Amino acid sequence: AQSVTQLDSHVSVSEGTPVLLRCNYSSSYSPSLFWYVQHPNKGLQLLLKYTSAATLVKGINGFEAEFKKSETSFHLTKPSAHMSDAAEYFCVVSRSGGYQKVTFGTGTKLQVIP
Amino acid sequence: GAVVSQHPSWVICKSGTSVKIECRSLDFQATTMFWYRQFPKQSLMLMATSNEGSKATYEQGVEKDKFLINHASLTLSTLTVTSAHPEDSSFYICSAYPTRTRGDAGANVLTFGAGSRLTVL
């Protein structure tokens, strides 16, 4: 069994300040973890993924996430928010290896204030 | 990189009619595709797993006769919403795992279509 909890449904930051979107996971096996971004009325775009290699993962658009097994967390961060980062972010967990069914978190809406 | 294309992106239909949504994998073959439904301001809920050449596997609570899935080829899966009603209005998204891509960039990473917005009047 697997599940993912996104601790904040909304996060608001000022442009140029750091972004932190929190995600905790639960998995009965070795997980793969992903962050996806969704802009309004659009599909999902992969930001980054963790698949049992380096625990600090760098993604696109300056985002990164750190896999912490002891804390069962995979928080998404960015040093400096841009207006274009305003979107919905989903943390996703699946079983490692092969083509597994994934489980979505409930999403975090990021608002960036000018 | 791997691309999943959905069509149409927007569709409006009258209550009682049927609507077909196509999901195509471009530049790769997909033996398995996934169909999701997303209500406004909510997360994606898996509806069914579409398997090429065999019956789809539906998640609990999803009506098989309501949401017909056909995966007739390695690059095409279709979702047909039959006898649509206003409560079927939603954002439908498909996804697939690229099985053959250049390098390893797309391996084991679910690739999503841009989604199809269905509005039933």
Side-chain angles (χ1 to χ4, degrees):
Chain A
Q2 59 192 22
S3 66
V4 60
T5 301
Q6 290 184 244
L7 298 163
D8 306 295
S9 58
H10 286 81
V11 169
S12 183
V13 301
S14 297
E15 189 177 18
T17 64
V19 175
L20 170 64
L21 304 183
R22 297 182 294 167
C23 172
N24 286 94
Y25 71 92
S26 173
S27 179
S28 303
Y29 24 72
S30 180
S32 290
L33 292 156
F34 310 82
W35 276 98
Y36 285 86
V37 60
Q38 184 182 31
H39 291 275
N41 294 313
K42 300 289 185 182
L44 279 76
Q45 180 185 19
L46 179 69
L47 282 178
L48 48 81
K49 63 177 180 178
Y50 166 77
T51 54
S52 75
T55 56
L56 181 61
V57 181
K58 294 186 182 299
I60 62 171
N61 301 335
F63 284 95
E64 63 180 40
E66 186 172 6
F67 174 73
K68 292 186 177 180
K69 186 175 180 179
S70 61
E71 299 177 9
T72 61
S73 69
F74 190 58
H75 301 334
L76 181 70
T77 60
K78 183 173 180 177
S80 176
H82 293 168
M83 294 300 296
S84 60
D85 294 329
E88 188 89 21
Y89 292 80
F90 293 96
C91 184
V92 177
V93 64
S94 75
R95 187 171 182 169
S96 291
Y99 305 105
Q100 304 288 340
K101 187 186 298 186
V102 303
T103 300
F104 279 81
T106 50
T108 298
K109 185 172 183 178
L110 176 64
Q111 180 184 18
V112 182
I113 303 169
Chain B
V3 176
V4 173
S5 174
Q6 267 186 257
H7 178 81
S9 54
W10 293 83
V11 57
I12 300 173
C13 69
K14 293 182 178 180
S15 185
T17 62
S18 295
V19 174
K20 180 185 286 187
I21 300 170
E22 294 186 346
C23 179
R24 293 182 184 273
S25 56
L26 307 182
D27 298 328
F28 71 96
Q29 296 180 332
T31 55
T32 301
M33 291 184 175
F34 302 93
W35 284 96
Y36 295 84
R37 182 174 182 176
Q38 185 180 31
F39 290 103
K41 300 181 181 180
Q42 294 188 27
S43 188
L44 281 72
M45 299 299 295
L46 179 65
M47 298 175 65
T49 303
S50 171
N51 304 298
E52 188 270 333
S54 64
K55 292 182 178 180
T57 303
Y58 289 82
E59 296 298 301
Q60 190 173 9
V62 178
E63 299 176 61
K64 301 178 183 181
D65 296 332
K66 176 72 166 176
F67 299 100
L68 298 179
I69 292 174
N70 183 277
H71 196 150
S73 77
L74 288 171
T75 60
L76 174 64
S77 175
T78 60
L79 169 67
T80 301
V81 183
T82 62
S83 186
H85 288 93
E87 57 265 30
D88 298 326
S89 298
S90 192
F91 194 53
Y92 294 88
I93 305 176
C94 71
S95 65
Y97 283 107
T99 53
R100 293 180 188 176
T101 57
R102 294 178 184 174
D104 190 41
N108 294 350
V109 176
L110 205 52
T111 300
F112 289 85
S116 299
R117 171 75 61 193
L118 170 63
T119 301
V120 184
L121 303 177

